[in-house]
Amino acid sequence: MRNIALKLMYNGTAYHGWQMQRTEASVQETLQRGLSMVCGERVKLTGVGRTDAGVHAERYVANFRTSSRIPIDRLPFAVNTHTPEDIVVREALEVADDFNAIGSCLKKEYTYRIYNSRIKNPFYVNRAYFYPKKLDEAVMDAAARAFEGTHDFRAVRSVGTETKTTVRTVHYCRVTRRGELLELKVCADGFLYNMVRAITGTVLYAAEGKLTAEDIPKILDSGDRTLAGPTVPPGGLYMTRLWYEDERLND
């Protein structure tokens, strides 16, 4: 049995997230179906994380085990002929037997994109959060940086999948602007359910004058979800970088 890692990307608009669902289309199920056809046997993918419905991935890693002898360099092309155009396998690599896409991941980066303009842009529908009121990226960046460090992040998560602990380490959380597009980039050793979207909503509250960057440590200490900002829509969220010990998977 070979352990194969896939580097892929997907537009999540048409899917109910990465994870298999009983009644809804998922990225995992769609990709597994195509892989099973190529490998001539049922395969089960392990993904680096659960992206929610409508969330995208510019970088994503999943692995599976197979007895198929298909050459590794031909696998992406073969799989891509059996999947929709919104899911693309970029590369396939044979990895160590103990490699696990989620368990071996050291840290992840998500990017949330906000289209900050008075006029809508049709090319950003389901791809960025349209926000017509002028935003001050310096105020947002100061609020974003208040999330950096090791904290209990209960105040910025939705009730969903249970975890042993809600403590995470955020390596960086920054806001930048390129023209009318704002990006909040956050890198951490792990994320709670809806954590990035709640952080973004809180940063937007700071831009709206509803709280300050100095309030954020108190909000985190409280663990009270009602004190933080709202959970912003999923279409602006992307998984954008991953870090592994196997550096072939990091680009």
Side-chain angles (χ1 to χ4, degrees):
M1 296 286 281
R2 294 187 294 169
N3 191 11
I4 296 176
L6 302 177
K7 291 157 62 172
L8 59 131
M9 60 177 88
Y10 55 84
N11 180 324
T13 303
Y15 302 98
H16 204 75
W18 163 264
Q19 198 76 8
M20 290 270 292
Q21 307 283 328
R22 286 185 180 177
T23 58
E24 306 281 355
S26 70
V27 178
Q28 181 185 23
E29 179 187 27
T30 304
L31 186 54
Q32 278 183 181
R33 193 183 309 124
L35 269 173
S36 296
M37 293 175 72
V38 169
C39 294
E41 62 187 16
R42 277 188 74 184
V43 300
K44 186 174 188 300
L45 283 163
T46 298
V48 67
R50 297 185 179 192
T51 55
D52 298 330
V55 174
H56 317 291
E58 292 179 353
R59 296 286 186 274
Y60 195 93
V61 170
N63 73 295
F64 69 100
R65 297 176 189 278
T66 182
S67 56
S68 168
R69 304 321 299 168
I70 182 170
I72 203 78
D73 60 328
R74 286 180 49 201
L75 189 58
F77 302 100
V79 175
N80 289 337
T81 63
H82 293 285
T83 55
E85 291 182 334
D86 50 12
I87 302 173
V88 174
V89 175
R90 297 167 49 228
E91 190 177 357
L93 300 161
E94 283 199 49
V95 288
D97 192 57
D98 62 353
F99 176 86
N100 175 287
I102 188 167
S104 302
C105 187
L106 304 173
K107 54 186 179 178
K108 308 170 192 172
E109 178 195 82
Y110 280 94
T111 300
Y112 195 90
R113 296 184 174 130
I114 299 168
Y115 186 65
N116 186 209
S117 171
R118 289 178 60 241
I119 305 297
K120 292 181 179 179
N121 184 328
F123 297 104
Y124 282 123
V125 174
N126 296 320
R127 305 270 312 278
Y129 179 34
F130 173 61
Y131 194 97
K133 186 179 176 182
K134 177 70 173 175
L135 292 167
D136 186 334
E137 64 270 21
V139 171
M140 295 175 70
D141 186 56
R145 290 170 186 253
F147 287 100
E148 294 176 344
T150 301
H151 308 284
D152 188 326
F153 284 95
R154 276 178 304 161
V156 284
R157 74 149 181 174
S158 299
V159 176
T161 51
E162 287 305 310
T163 57
K164 290 179 182 176
T165 176
T166 50
V167 174
R168 297 289 186 273
T169 297
V170 169
H171 300 289
Y172 57 80
C173 188
R174 307 287 166 84
V175 174
T176 57
R177 177 187 284 275
R178 283 200 323 259
E180 294 170 318
L181 194 67
L182 285 164
E183 290 190 335
L184 181 148
K185 287 187 180 289
V186 55
C187 171
D189 59 356
F191 292 89
L192 304 170
Y193 183 50
N194 283 343
M195 178 172 152
V196 180
R197 289 162 61 192
I199 285 174
T200 304
T202 307
V203 167
L204 280 170
Y205 260 19
E208 293 167 355
K210 295 177 180 176
L211 54 85
T212 68
E214 290 71 32
D215 293 326
I216 289 170
K218 292 175 258 182
I219 292 169
L220 291 176
D221 287 343
S222 76
D224 187 345
R225 179 69 188 89
T226 65
L227 297 180
T231 301
V232 291
L237 185 59
Y238 298 72
M239 184 178 283
T240 45
R241 279 191 76 184
L242 299 165
W243 285 264
Y244 289 94
E245 286 185 4
D246 187 337
E247 293 186 358
R248 297 176 302 164
L249 297 168
N250 294 347
D251 62 352

